[in-house]
Amino acid sequence: DADVTQTPRNRITKTGKRIMLECSQTKGHDRMYWYRQDPGLGLRLIYYSFDVKDINKGEISDGYSVSRQAQAKFSLSLESAIPNQTALYFCATSDFVGYEQYFGPGTRLTVT
Amino acid sequence: TQLLEQSPQFLSIQEGENLTVYCNSSSVFSSLQWYRQEPGEGPVLLVTVVTGGEVKKLKRLTFQFGDARKDSSLHITAAQPGDTGLYLCAGSRSGGSNYKLTFGKGTLLTVNP
């Protein structure tokens, strides 16, 4: 079984809809991250969490929110989706050292 | 802003050839990671280098961290179709921000049988 899982794997939604992407991990890591990947822009950090009570904004957090429901679960929400949020979204985890990160399989999100 | 420039952006070669891809910056990184990403999947960590001049080998892949810790290279010997994928480098700064990775945009490698 995969150490980091994401649901859904693919999602098409309409502008203005609220959508939640979910991430679960069995690696036992405290730190979890959400990234988006766009062609030509690479991976960019949206939010990160060091534990259930410690959540921080990354470089592109506008239009997104997160919830850390448990050590193993970290969800990303788009409150009102817009087309330029069409992208690949990845969840990742790490131990306290931080720089070795383990990624989930991703969610391909399309906002029409 | 610390940038990591990867080159070439695209590389298409025949099975059995050797290749090198590069990851360069004007900034110093405390560590550098290489990931491989296949279509429809997330990046998979291949290696971490932390010491200037460090060389690590993973089967046919050889990774090197520059002496000044500003650049890195990945060399593949006798490439195989299974090596096809997007190769990403990522660097971290020292101290409390080592979890904040700066990613390059990647080198898309295609190995033709």
Side-chain angles (χ1 to χ4, degrees):
Chain A
D1 289 342
D3 294 320
V4 184
T5 57
Q6 292 183 236
T7 57
R9 292 295 313 276
N10 290 282
R11 181 72 182 267
I12 300 173
T13 192
K14 294 185 183 296
T15 297
K17 293 292 187 180
R18 184 179 188 274
I19 182 170
M20 179 182 288
L21 310 182
E22 297 185 331
C23 176
S24 294
Q25 55 112 347
T26 58
K27 295 189 73 68
H29 288 161
D30 287 327
R31 297 185 173 190
M32 298 186 73
Y33 310 81
W34 276 104
Y35 290 89
R36 66 177 278 175
Q37 186 177 40
D38 299 273
L41 295 178
L43 281 155
R44 294 180 292 166
L45 183 63
I46 305 172
Y47 268 95
Y48 58 100
S49 170
F50 287 171
D51 65 38
V52 174
K53 296 183 179 179
D54 186 356
I55 294 176
N56 304 277
K57 293 182 177 180
E59 61 181 295
I60 54 163
S61 60
D62 287 349
Y64 302 95
S65 62
V66 291
S67 174
R68 185 83 182 265
Q69 299 94 329
Q71 187 213 29
K73 296 184 182 296
F74 192 33
S75 60
L76 175 73
S77 293
L78 287 67
E79 298 300 326
S80 180
I82 56 177
N84 77 359
Q85 291 178 314
T86 293
L88 278 169
Y89 289 85
F90 291 101
C91 173
T93 75
S94 76
D95 62 15
F96 74 95
V97 174
Y99 54 69
E100 291 192 338
Q101 297 184 10
Y102 298 87
F103 287 79
T107 294
R108 181 175 295 278
L109 177 66
T110 303
V111 184
T112 62
Chain B
T1 303
Q2 295 178 308
L3 296 176
L4 279 169
E5 303 282 346
Q6 290 191 243
S7 61
Q9 190 175 355
F10 301 96
L11 185 58
S12 180
I13 61 171
Q14 294 300 121
E15 182 176 0
E17 293 183 1
N18 302 333
L19 67 113
T20 302
V21 298
Y22 301 93
C23 176
N24 295 301
S25 176
S26 59
S27 302
V28 174
F29 290 94
S30 62
S31 73
L32 197 134
Q33 292 74 43
W34 283 93
Y35 292 83
R36 180 169 66 210
Q37 184 178 10
E38 298 186 14
E41 299 297 329
V44 174
L45 180 65
L46 296 175
V47 77
T48 297
V49 285
V50 297
T51 305
E54 182 176 6
V55 177
K56 282 191 173 180
K57 293 190 175 184
L58 183 65
K59 297 183 180 179
R60 295 175 293 100
L61 279 61
T62 301
F63 305 86
Q64 185 163 8
F65 203 10
D67 291 342
R69 292 184 292 139
K70 293 183 178 181
D71 56 84
S72 181
S73 63
L74 159 59
H75 181 80
I76 301 179
T77 303
Q80 299 177 0
D83 296 325
T84 293
L86 179 67
Y87 288 82
L88 298 165
C89 64
S92 67
R93 293 183 289 179
S94 60
S97 297
N98 56 8
Y99 57 89
K100 285 188 177 178
L101 300 182
T102 299
F103 282 87
K105 295 178 181 179
T107 292
L108 185 60
L109 172 66
T110 302
V111 182
N112 302 296

